[in-house]
Amino acid sequence: MRTGTAPDAPAPRAARWLAAVPSFLRPLVRPRPRPRHRRPVPVRPSRPDQLRALLAVLDEAVAAQGPADEAVAACGEPGPVPRGTARDCGLQSIGLHRLRARLQDLGTTDPDLLAAQARAARLLAYDLWMLRASMNLAFADRPVARTEAARLGLNGLGRPADDLRRLRDTLRAELPEG
């Protein structure tokens, strides 16, 4: 059994090469030491856990749609729009924006749930756009007949709000009992 090299054996190739490098360059050419241990691989949550997390955010989003729907409808009321409506739209917009950010930060890895998550994010983006557009119509600096007609046509969030509810209900039906 061989435990080392003989004293008269030539130096290993890497050592000979390193000896040929000038001393001021040696810090630049030395290999990095290997880490002594590997970092543990993070455990991904199971599909039911991911589904529960997604449903929790969707439940809050569906609950937040009621007040947002009322705020959009208030922008479409005939006559002058009260200033409190702008505050209500702003608060609802902040709430929906936070929910959309939470939705995007879920860390979902299941492909089917990723598709549902992306669809829900698009539907919430529509709700945010609708709130902003209704405020722009309701509080225009110089309302003209065309924008006033569009403002009076506002009556809520519309079909995308229903689509978000249906998406949430479809995902809830996939949740295993227990």
Side-chain angles (χ1 to χ4, degrees):
M1 178 190 311
R2 190 169 178 190
T3 58
T5 58
D8 56 342
R13 184 174 159 196
R16 285 190 313 249
W17 179 79
L18 193 57
V21 175
S23 63
F24 65 91
L25 289 178
R26 285 186 188 159
L28 300 176
V29 297
R30 289 190 182 179
R32 288 185 172 171
R34 290 185 180 184
R36 294 189 178 165
H37 58 80
R38 292 186 179 201
R39 292 183 183 150
V41 177
V43 178
R44 292 183 180 166
S46 65
R47 185 179 195 285
D49 290 340
Q50 291 179 32
L51 181 58
R52 282 186 200 94
L54 180 59
L55 281 170
V57 176
L58 290 180
D59 285 340
E60 289 182 48
V62 168
Q65 280 185 326
D69 190 62
E70 292 170 7
V72 170
C75 289
E77 292 293 322
V81 181
R83 295 290 176 203
T85 303
R87 184 187 64 242
D88 294 342
C89 284
L91 291 173
Q92 296 310 314
S93 180
I94 289 168
L96 288 177
H97 178 73
R98 287 179 179 163
L99 283 169
R100 186 167 183 253
R102 278 184 47 208
L103 182 69
Q104 291 174 328
D105 291 341
L106 281 178
T108 307
T109 57
D110 185 86
D112 294 336
L113 295 180
L114 275 173
Q117 179 182 359
R119 176 144 173 75
R122 285 191 305 272
L123 292 170
L124 283 175
Y126 171 82
D127 292 349
L128 287 165
W129 175 83
M130 192 67 186
L131 280 164
R132 185 68 177 168
S134 64
M135 283 195 310
N136 288 343
L137 289 172
F139 300 103
D141 288 338
R142 288 179 242 147
V144 293
R146 202 170 73 199
T147 59
E148 188 63 18
R151 182 185 75 80
L152 293 173
L154 293 172
N155 61 0
L157 293 175
R159 193 187 92 222
D162 297 333
D163 290 347
L164 187 65
R165 273 186 233 108
R166 279 192 289 275
L167 176 65
R168 190 251 341 239
D169 295 341
T170 301
L171 290 173
R172 184 162 310 286
E174 292 179 21
L175 191 64
E177 298 296 323

